[in-house]
Amino acid sequence: MRCNACWREVEGRAISTTCGHLLCTDDANKILSNDGACPICDQVLSKSLMKPVDVNPNDEWVNMAMAGVSPQILMKSAYRSVMFYMGQKELEIQFKMNKIVAQCRQKCETMQEKFTEKLEQVHTAYQKMAKKCQMMQQEIESITKDNQELQEKFAEKSRQKRKLDEMYDQLRNEYDSVKRFAIQPANNFYARNEHDLFSNPPNIMDDREMGRKGNPSLSTVRAQRILLFYCH
Ligand SMILES: [Zn+2]
Ligand SMILES: [Zn+2]
């Protein structure tokens, strides 16, 4: 049996009340010195409504307490005592249940607090990641734009290079043709002189005079000038 106020195990002397509850002597005295209210049902108690009982009676009490009482009264008393005992057991179970429920509720509250804390941490981390992703997305867009611009520039430069290559090839061809043109008249110049030497004697002196003075023909000078221009 347990005290209905402090729920400690009661041994020996205890106090039973008319409202059907059991108290240890310490709690019974406290209740009487305070407001006198039963801790379970709030019924106002007084000394006359509280009866001392021995929860572990000795053999002498067991043998003699009910001696001389009629079986009807004995059975009625036994019935009341059993009902009281059952009521106490129900109260104990209820107390234990309430204790377990309170512990579970406390654990749930602690877990909920931890869960909320973790959830907030996860939410904060998620927000950070989302912001980072957004920044990275913007960075990717910027890089893609730069890449596109560079590709366009590269295509433009490639076009310019092709154009320059074509111009270079054209100039090269012109240079080669000019070079060939510049060399050919010089050979012809001496060949023509050799020919003139025999075919037209009066002109020999004039041509030789020109050769000695170092005056080449007009076409040779022009070809040399064009050659120098392209070389520079
Ligand atoms: Zn007590
Ligand atoms: Zn009570």
Side-chain angles (χ1 to χ4, degrees), residues 3-224:
C3 167
N4 295 168
C6 63
W7 293 102
R8 279 186 302 209
E9 194 74 38
V10 177
E11 288 178 0
R13 192 179 165 86
I15 307 294
S16 66
T17 65
T18 51
C19 58
H21 298 122
L22 192 76
L23 300 164
C24 64
T25 49
D26 290 343
D27 282 321
N29 288 329
K30 275 184 207 167
I31 286 161
L32 285 175
S33 59
N34 290 330
D35 56 357
C38 173
I40 306 299
C41 63
D42 277 338
Q43 185 178 310
V44 178
L45 297 168
S46 62
K47 262 193 173 176
S48 62
L49 300 172
M50 299 162 93
K51 191 179 179 300
V53 289
D54 193 346
V55 292
N56 302 109
N58 55 24
D59 288 343
E60 191 186 348
W61 186 91
V62 173
N63 291 333
M64 298 303 293
M66 296 290 179
V69 179
S70 67
Q72 289 87 352
I73 297 170
L74 200 145
M75 288 303 287
K76 194 177 176 183
S77 178
Y79 172 75
R80 289 278 172 85
S81 297
V82 169
M83 289 306 288
F84 182 88
Y85 184 85
M86 283 172 70
Q88 282 300 306
K89 288 298 160 189
E90 274 179 24
L91 272 177
E92 278 182 31
I93 290 165
Q94 201 176 342
F95 168 74
K96 281 178 185 172
M97 286 291 288
N98 287 344
K99 202 176 172 182
I100 289 165
V101 168
Q103 282 175 349
C104 284
R105 191 169 290 157
Q106 199 176 354
K107 275 184 185 177
C108 281
E109 280 172 7
T110 311
M111 281 174 76
Q112 197 171 358
E113 277 175 20
K114 281 183 182 175
F115 177 74
T116 309
E117 196 181 338
K118 284 280 171 195
L119 194 70
E120 278 176 13
Q121 284 177 357
V122 169
H123 185 66
T124 310
Y126 169 76
Q127 278 183 328
K128 274 185 185 174
M129 284 296 288
K131 204 172 176 182
K132 212 172 178 180
C133 280
Q134 200 177 354
M135 281 168 73
M136 282 174 82
Q137 187 75 29
Q138 285 174 354
E139 208 171 328
I140 286 167
E141 281 174 15
S142 171
I143 287 167
T144 309
K145 200 177 171 185
D146 287 352
N147 184 36
Q148 205 172 350
E149 282 176 10
L150 281 170
Q151 276 181 344
E152 283 171 9
K153 279 182 185 172
F154 177 74
E156 179 61 28
K157 291 285 175 193
S158 296
R159 273 199 298 276
Q160 286 178 358
K161 187 186 175 291
R162 278 201 301 277
K163 208 170 176 182
L164 282 171
D165 284 344
E166 283 171 12
M167 281 168 77
Y168 173 79
D169 290 341
Q170 199 177 344
L171 284 171
R172 185 81 197 174
N173 290 336
E174 279 182 34
Y175 167 75
D176 288 341
S177 64
V178 167
K179 197 176 169 185
R180 278 198 302 276
F181 181 71
I183 293 162
Q184 204 175 359
N187 291 337
N188 290 341
F189 172 74
Y190 290 112
R192 194 172 66 244
N193 282 353
E194 288 295 320
H195 175 73
D196 288 344
L197 188 68
F198 297 105
S199 62
N200 199 4
N203 291 335
I204 292 170
M205 286 308 289
D206 295 341
D207 282 350
R208 279 186 178 172
E209 277 295 312
M210 280 177 79
R212 266 201 300 276
K213 284 171 186 173
N215 291 334
S217 67
L218 271 170
S219 61
T220 311
V221 170
R222 195 165 161 241
Q224 279 172 347

